[in-house]
Amino acid sequence: MFTPLHDRVLVRRIEDDEKTSGGLIIPDNAKEKPQEGEVVSVGAGAKDDAGARIAMDVKAGDKILFGKWSGTEIKIESEELMIMKESDILGIMA
C-alpha cells in the first residue's frame, strides 16, 4: 500500500447520488466531483522548527470535507485516490 509522507493525507472520494431529488439522472460530464472523502492513510506529521513531530488531527477512517481545488489525483492499484496536505482539509464529519 501507499503511506504519505509528513503532513500529507491519502483520501478516497465519497461519491454522491447520481440522481436529483426529483429522480433525474445526472450525466457524468455535468456532475461536480464530490468534496467529501474518507481518509485512507496519513503521514507521520510535519516537524516544527525544533525538529519535534506535530501530531496529525485526522486518522484513517475519518470522513472529511475538503476544498474544491484541494489535492492531487493519483491512481494506486487501479483505484483513483487523492493526496493532499492536512491543511487542505476543512473538517471532520461526525
Side-chain angles (χ1 to χ4, degrees):
M1 192 54 180
F2 178 85
T3 302
L5 297 177
H6 310 295
D7 63 340
R8 288 182 176 77
V9 180
L10 187 65
V11 175
R12 178 181 298 117
R13 285 186 190 271
I14 297 174
E15 298 295 330
D16 289 338
D17 291 338
E18 296 181 6
K19 292 184 180 181
T20 65
S21 58
L24 297 174
I25 296 175
I26 303 170
D28 286 339
N29 60 353
K31 287 192 290 186
E32 284 193 27
K33 292 194 175 189
Q35 296 173 33
E36 294 179 27
E38 178 183 356
V39 176
V40 176
S41 62
V42 298
K47 291 186 178 182
D48 63 14
D49 293 335
R53 287 268 180 212
I54 301 169
M56 300 284 279
D57 290 327
V58 296
K59 62 186 180 311
D62 283 349
K63 303 276 191 264
I64 60 165
L65 200 62
F66 52 86
K68 190 172 195 171
W69 307 109
S70 299
T72 301
E73 293 180 356
I74 61 173
K75 198 171 207 175
I76 299 175
E77 299 174 9
S78 74
E79 182 178 16
E80 291 187 21
L81 301 167
M82 294 183 62
I83 189 162
M84 65 183 68
K85 286 187 161 263
E86 185 183 35
S87 60
D88 290 339
I89 297 172
L90 303 174
I92 301 171
M93 299 171 63

PDB file of all heavy atoms in Angstrom, residues 40-67:
ATOM      1  N   VAL A  40      -7.738   7.373   3.969  1.00  0.00           N
ATOM      2  CA  VAL A  40      -7.227   6.023   3.797  1.00  0.00           C
ATOM      3  C   VAL A  40      -5.977   5.834   4.663  1.00  0.00           C
ATOM      4  O   VAL A  40      -5.849   4.845   5.374  1.00  0.00           O
ATOM      5  CB  VAL A  40      -6.902   5.738   2.311  1.00  0.00           C
ATOM      6  CG1 VAL A  40      -6.272   4.379   2.136  1.00  0.00           C
ATOM      7  CG2 VAL A  40      -8.162   5.880   1.463  1.00  0.00           C
ATOM      8  N   SER A  41      -5.054   6.785   4.599  1.00  0.00           N
ATOM      9  CA  SER A  41      -3.851   6.730   5.430  1.00  0.00           C
ATOM     10  C   SER A  41      -3.289   8.134   5.606  1.00  0.00           C
ATOM     11  O   SER A  41      -3.601   9.038   4.829  1.00  0.00           O
ATOM     12  CB  SER A  41      -2.794   5.786   4.840  1.00  0.00           C
ATOM     13  OG  SER A  41      -2.383   6.232   3.577  1.00  0.00           O
ATOM     14  N   VAL A  42      -2.479   8.311   6.647  1.00  0.00           N
ATOM     15  CA  VAL A  42      -1.895   9.621   6.954  1.00  0.00           C
ATOM     16  C   VAL A  42      -0.398   9.473   7.173  1.00  0.00           C
ATOM     17  O   VAL A  42       0.096   8.417   7.560  1.00  0.00           O
ATOM     18  CB  VAL A  42      -2.535  10.261   8.207  1.00  0.00           C
ATOM     19  CG1 VAL A  42      -4.003  10.510   7.997  1.00  0.00           C
ATOM     20  CG2 VAL A  42      -2.324   9.422   9.435  1.00  0.00           C
ATOM     21  N   GLY A  43       0.312  10.567   6.927  1.00  0.00           N
ATOM     22  CA  GLY A  43       1.741  10.603   7.203  1.00  0.00           C
ATOM     23  C   GLY A  43       1.989  10.745   8.701  1.00  0.00           C
ATOM     24  O   GLY A  43       1.058  10.866   9.497  1.00  0.00           O
ATOM     25  N   ALA A  44       3.252  10.785   9.067  1.00  0.00           N
ATOM     26  CA  ALA A  44       3.636  10.868  10.482  1.00  0.00           C
ATOM     27  C   ALA A  44       3.451  12.268  11.053  1.00  0.00           C
ATOM     28  O   ALA A  44       3.444  12.443  12.262  1.00  0.00           O
ATOM     29  CB  ALA A  44       5.079  10.426  10.653  1.00  0.00           C
ATOM     30  N   GLY A  45       3.292  13.268  10.198  1.00  0.00           N
ATOM     31  CA  GLY A  45       3.143  14.645  10.657  1.00  0.00           C
ATOM     32  C   GLY A  45       4.360  15.467  10.297  1.00  0.00           C
ATOM     33  O   GLY A  45       5.468  14.937  10.152  1.00  0.00           O
ATOM     34  N   ALA A  46       4.163  16.752  10.165  1.00  0.00           N
ATOM     35  CA  ALA A  46       5.264  17.667   9.853  1.00  0.00           C
ATOM     36  C   ALA A  46       6.133  17.843  11.095  1.00  0.00           C
ATOM     37  O   ALA A  46       5.752  17.457  12.195  1.00  0.00           O
ATOM     38  CB  ALA A  46       4.699  19.010   9.398  1.00  0.00           C
ATOM     39  N   LYS A  47       7.300  18.450  10.905  1.00  0.00           N
ATOM     40  CA  LYS A  47       8.181  18.745  12.033  1.00  0.00           C
ATOM     41  C   LYS A  47       8.206  20.249  12.264  1.00  0.00           C
ATOM     42  O   LYS A  47       8.176  21.032  11.315  1.00  0.00           O
ATOM     43  CB  LYS A  47       9.587  18.234  11.760  1.00  0.00           C
ATOM     44  CG  LYS A  47       9.686  16.721  11.760  1.00  0.00           C
ATOM     45  CD  LYS A  47      11.121  16.271  11.628  1.00  0.00           C
ATOM     46  CE  LYS A  47      11.199  14.762  11.677  1.00  0.00           C
ATOM     47  NZ  LYS A  47      12.587  14.294  11.600  1.00  0.00           N
ATOM     48  N   ASP A  48       8.269  20.646  13.541  1.00  0.00           N
ATOM     49  CA  ASP A  48       8.377  22.071  13.856  1.00  0.00           C
ATOM     50  C   ASP A  48       9.843  22.500  13.765  1.00  0.00           C
ATOM     51  O   ASP A  48      10.716  21.705  13.407  1.00  0.00           O
ATOM     52  CB  ASP A  48       7.755  22.388  15.228  1.00  0.00           C
ATOM     53  CG  ASP A  48       8.455  21.708  16.384  1.00  0.00           C
ATOM     54  OD1 ASP A  48       9.585  21.193  16.204  1.00  0.00           O
ATOM     55  OD2 ASP A  48       7.881  21.694  17.489  1.00  0.00           O
ATOM     56  N   ASP A  49      10.113  23.753  14.078  1.00  0.00           N
ATOM     57  CA  ASP A  49      11.477  24.293  13.960  1.00  0.00           C
ATOM     58  C   ASP A  49      12.483  23.570  14.852  1.00  0.00           C
ATOM     59  O   ASP A  49      13.670  23.519  14.547  1.00  0.00           O
ATOM     60  CB  ASP A  49      11.486  25.790  14.287  1.00  0.00           C
ATOM     61  CG  ASP A  49      10.728  26.600  13.245  1.00  0.00           C
ATOM     62  OD1 ASP A  49      10.620  26.120  12.093  1.00  0.00           O
ATOM     63  OD2 ASP A  49      10.243  27.695  13.571  1.00  0.00           O
ATOM     64  N   ALA A  50      12.017  23.005  15.954  1.00  0.00           N
ATOM     65  CA  ALA A  50      12.902  22.289  16.873  1.00  0.00           C
ATOM     66  C   ALA A  50      13.093  20.826  16.462  1.00  0.00           C
ATOM     67  O   ALA A  50      13.860  20.101  17.094  1.00  0.00           O
ATOM     68  CB  ALA A  50      12.334  22.354  18.295  1.00  0.00           C
ATOM     69  N   GLY A  51      12.380  20.376  15.430  1.00  0.00           N
ATOM     70  CA  GLY A  51      12.504  19.005  14.953  1.00  0.00           C
ATOM     71  C   GLY A  51      11.511  18.034  15.563  1.00  0.00           C
ATOM     72  O   GLY A  51      11.551  16.843  15.270  1.00  0.00           O
ATOM     73  N   ALA A  52      10.616  18.522  16.418  1.00  0.00           N
ATOM     74  CA  ALA A  52       9.603  17.658  17.033  1.00  0.00           C
ATOM     75  C   ALA A  52       8.429  17.465  16.064  1.00  0.00           C
ATOM     76  O   ALA A  52       8.066  18.382  15.326  1.00  0.00           O
ATOM     77  CB  ALA A  52       9.104  18.270  18.335  1.00  0.00           C
ATOM     78  N   ARG A  53       7.844  16.264  16.057  1.00  0.00           N
ATOM     79  CA  ARG A  53       6.694  15.976  15.193  1.00  0.00           C
ATOM     80  C   ARG A  53       5.453  16.711  15.686  1.00  0.00           C
ATOM     81  O   ARG A  53       5.191  16.774  16.875  1.00  0.00           O
ATOM     82  CB  ARG A  53       6.376  14.492  15.198  1.00  0.00           C
ATOM     83  CG  ARG A  53       7.323  13.651  14.452  1.00  0.00           C
ATOM     84  CD  ARG A  53       6.898  13.455  13.014  1.00  0.00           C
ATOM     85  NE  ARG A  53       7.918  12.619  12.389  1.00  0.00           N
ATOM     86  CZ  ARG A  53       8.256  12.715  11.135  1.00  0.00           C
ATOM     87  NH1 ARG A  53       7.669  13.569  10.349  1.00  0.00           N
ATOM     88  NH2 ARG A  53       9.191  11.959  10.648  1.00  0.00           N
ATOM     89  N   ILE A  54       4.696  17.229  14.731  1.00  0.00           N
ATOM     90  CA  ILE A  54       3.398  17.840  15.025  1.00  0.00           C
ATOM     91  C   ILE A  54       2.356  16.768  14.728  1.00  0.00           C
ATOM     92  O   ILE A  54       2.260  16.284  13.597  1.00  0.00           O
ATOM     93  CB  ILE A  54       3.156  19.092  14.164  1.00  0.00           C
ATOM     94  CG1 ILE A  54       4.258  20.118  14.420  1.00  0.00           C
ATOM     95  CG2 ILE A  54       1.773  19.664  14.408  1.00  0.00           C
ATOM     96  CD1 ILE A  54       4.266  21.285  13.446  1.00  0.00           C
ATOM     97  N   ALA A  55       1.600  16.376  15.728  1.00  0.00           N
ATOM     98  CA  ALA A  55       0.621  15.295  15.577  1.00  0.00           C
ATOM     99  C   ALA A  55      -0.448  15.661  14.548  1.00  0.00           C
ATOM    100  O   ALA A  55      -0.867  16.817  14.446  1.00  0.00           O
ATOM    101  CB  ALA A  55      -0.031  14.994  16.915  1.00  0.00           C
ATOM    102  N   MET A  56      -0.891  14.654  13.800  1.00  0.00           N
ATOM    103  CA  MET A  56      -1.946  14.844  12.806  1.00  0.00           C
ATOM    104  C   MET A  56      -3.306  14.841  13.511  1.00  0.00           C
ATOM    105  O   MET A  56      -3.513  14.100  14.475  1.00  0.00           O
ATOM    106  CB  MET A  56      -1.903  13.722  11.768  1.00  0.00           C
ATOM    107  CG  MET A  56      -0.598  13.639  10.999  1.00  0.00           C
ATOM    108  SD  MET A  56      -0.449  14.904   9.747  1.00  0.00           S
ATOM    109  CE  MET A  56      -1.417  14.180   8.442  1.00  0.00           C
ATOM    110  N   ASP A  57      -4.240  15.673  13.024  1.00  0.00           N
ATOM    111  CA  ASP A  57      -5.583  15.751  13.601  1.00  0.00           C
ATOM    112  C   ASP A  57      -6.541  14.737  12.996  1.00  0.00           C
ATOM    113  O   ASP A  57      -7.614  14.503  13.537  1.00  0.00           O
ATOM    114  CB  ASP A  57      -6.158  17.161  13.425  1.00  0.00           C
ATOM    115  CG  ASP A  57      -5.453  18.185  14.288  1.00  0.00           C
ATOM    116  OD1 ASP A  57      -5.008  17.830  15.392  1.00  0.00           O
ATOM    117  OD2 ASP A  57      -5.333  19.346  13.843  1.00  0.00           O
ATOM    118  N   VAL A  58      -6.184  14.157  11.837  1.00  0.00           N
ATOM    119  CA  VAL A  58      -7.044  13.163  11.196  1.00  0.00           C
ATOM    120  C   VAL A  58      -6.388  11.796  11.279  1.00  0.00           C
ATOM    121  O   VAL A  58      -5.171  11.687  11.459  1.00  0.00           O
ATOM    122  CB  VAL A  58      -7.351  13.522   9.722  1.00  0.00           C
ATOM    123  CG1 VAL A  58      -8.136  14.811   9.627  1.00  0.00           C
ATOM    124  CG2 VAL A  58      -6.082  13.608   8.904  1.00  0.00           C
ATOM    125  N   LYS A  59      -7.214  10.762  11.142  1.00  0.00           N
ATOM    126  CA  LYS A  59      -6.701   9.391  11.166  1.00  0.00           C
ATOM    127  C   LYS A  59      -7.446   8.581  10.100  1.00  0.00           C
ATOM    128  O   LYS A  59      -8.488   9.006   9.590  1.00  0.00           O
ATOM    129  CB  LYS A  59      -6.875   8.770  12.545  1.00  0.00           C
ATOM    130  CG  LYS A  59      -8.314   8.649  12.995  1.00  0.00           C
ATOM    131  CD  LYS A  59      -8.408   8.167  14.426  1.00  0.00           C
ATOM    132  CE  LYS A  59      -9.818   8.030  14.912  1.00  0.00           C
ATOM    133  NZ  LYS A  59     -10.695   9.139  14.686  1.00  0.00           N
ATOM    134  N   ALA A  60      -6.915   7.440   9.765  1.00  0.00           N
ATOM    135  CA  ALA A  60      -7.549   6.568   8.778  1.00  0.00           C
ATOM    136  C   ALA A  60      -8.979   6.255   9.218  1.00  0.00           C
ATOM    137  O   ALA A  60      -9.236   6.000  10.389  1.00  0.00           O
ATOM    138  CB  ALA A  60      -6.749   5.281   8.628  1.00  0.00           C
ATOM    139  N   GLY A  61      -9.917   6.330   8.273  1.00  0.00           N
ATOM    140  CA  GLY A  61     -11.317   6.054   8.559  1.00  0.00           C
ATOM    141  C   GLY A  61     -12.154   7.295   8.790  1.00  0.00           C
ATOM    142  O   GLY A  61     -13.381   7.227   8.731  1.00  0.00           O
ATOM    143  N   ASP A  62     -11.526   8.445   9.054  1.00  0.00           N
ATOM    144  CA  ASP A  62     -12.279   9.691   9.260  1.00  0.00           C
ATOM    145  C   ASP A  62     -12.972  10.113   7.974  1.00  0.00           C
ATOM    146  O   ASP A  62     -12.409  10.005   6.880  1.00  0.00           O
ATOM    147  CB  ASP A  62     -11.353  10.830   9.695  1.00  0.00           C
ATOM    148  CG  ASP A  62     -10.940  10.751  11.153  1.00  0.00           C
ATOM    149  OD1 ASP A  62     -11.529   9.945  11.902  1.00  0.00           O
ATOM    150  OD2 ASP A  62     -10.028  11.509  11.541  1.00  0.00           O
ATOM    151  N   LYS A  63     -14.212  10.586   8.095  1.00  0.00           N
ATOM    152  CA  LYS A  63     -14.939  11.185   6.974  1.00  0.00           C
ATOM    153  C   LYS A  63     -14.635  12.673   7.013  1.00  0.00           C
ATOM    154  O   LYS A  63     -14.808  13.322   8.052  1.00  0.00           O
ATOM    155  CB  LYS A  63     -16.444  10.963   7.113  1.00  0.00           C
ATOM    156  CG  LYS A  63     -16.840   9.515   7.225  1.00  0.00           C
ATOM    157  CD  LYS A  63     -16.965   8.873   5.878  1.00  0.00           C
ATOM    158  CE  LYS A  63     -17.605   7.507   5.961  1.00  0.00           C
ATOM    159  NZ  LYS A  63     -16.680   6.426   6.012  1.00  0.00           N
ATOM    160  N   ILE A  64     -14.170  13.224   5.894  1.00  0.00           N
ATOM    161  CA  ILE A  64     -13.716  14.614   5.877  1.00  0.00           C
ATOM    162  C   ILE A  64     -14.385  15.419   4.769  1.00  0.00           C
ATOM    163  O   ILE A  64     -14.966  14.864   3.838  1.00  0.00           O
ATOM    164  CB  ILE A  64     -12.185  14.692   5.699  1.00  0.00           C
ATOM    165  CG1 ILE A  64     -11.763  14.028   4.381  1.00  0.00           C
ATOM    166  CG2 ILE A  64     -11.459  14.074   6.887  1.00  0.00           C
ATOM    167  CD1 ILE A  64     -10.364  14.350   3.941  1.00  0.00           C
ATOM    168  N   LEU A  65     -14.272  16.719   4.908  1.00  0.00           N
ATOM    169  CA  LEU A  65     -14.706  17.677   3.899  1.00  0.00           C
ATOM    170  C   LEU A  65     -13.466  18.450   3.493  1.00  0.00           C
ATOM    171  O   LEU A  65     -12.696  18.876   4.358  1.00  0.00           O
ATOM    172  CB  LEU A  65     -15.740  18.611   4.522  1.00  0.00           C
ATOM    173  CG  LEU A  65     -16.669  19.373   3.599  1.00  0.00           C
ATOM    174  CD1 LEU A  65     -17.518  18.402   2.798  1.00  0.00           C
ATOM    175  CD2 LEU A  65     -17.553  20.281   4.408  1.00  0.00           C
ATOM    176  N   PHE A  66     -13.244  18.614   2.184  1.00  0.00           N
ATOM    177  CA  PHE A  66     -12.052  19.322   1.724  1.00  0.00           C
ATOM    178  C   PHE A  66     -12.426  20.344   0.663  1.00  0.00           C
ATOM    179  O   PHE A  66     -13.530  20.316   0.115  1.00  0.00           O
ATOM    180  CB  PHE A  66     -10.983  18.348   1.209  1.00  0.00           C
ATOM    181  CG  PHE A  66     -11.476  17.361   0.186  1.00  0.00           C
ATOM    182  CD1 PHE A  66     -11.504  17.677  -1.162  1.00  0.00           C
ATOM    183  CD2 PHE A  66     -11.902  16.113   0.573  1.00  0.00           C
ATOM    184  CE1 PHE A  66     -11.948  16.773  -2.098  1.00  0.00           C
ATOM    185  CE2 PHE A  66     -12.347  15.179  -0.348  1.00  0.00           C
ATOM    186  CZ  PHE A  66     -12.368  15.523  -1.696  1.00  0.00           C
ATOM    187  N   GLY A  67     -11.511  21.258   0.405  1.00  0.00           N
ATOM    188  CA  GLY A  67     -11.747  22.334  -0.554  1.00  0.00           C
ATOM    189  C   GLY A  67     -11.917  21.819  -1.977  1.00  0.00           C
ATOM    190  O   GLY A  67     -11.412  20.754  -2.339  1.00  0.00           O
TER     191      GLY A  67
END
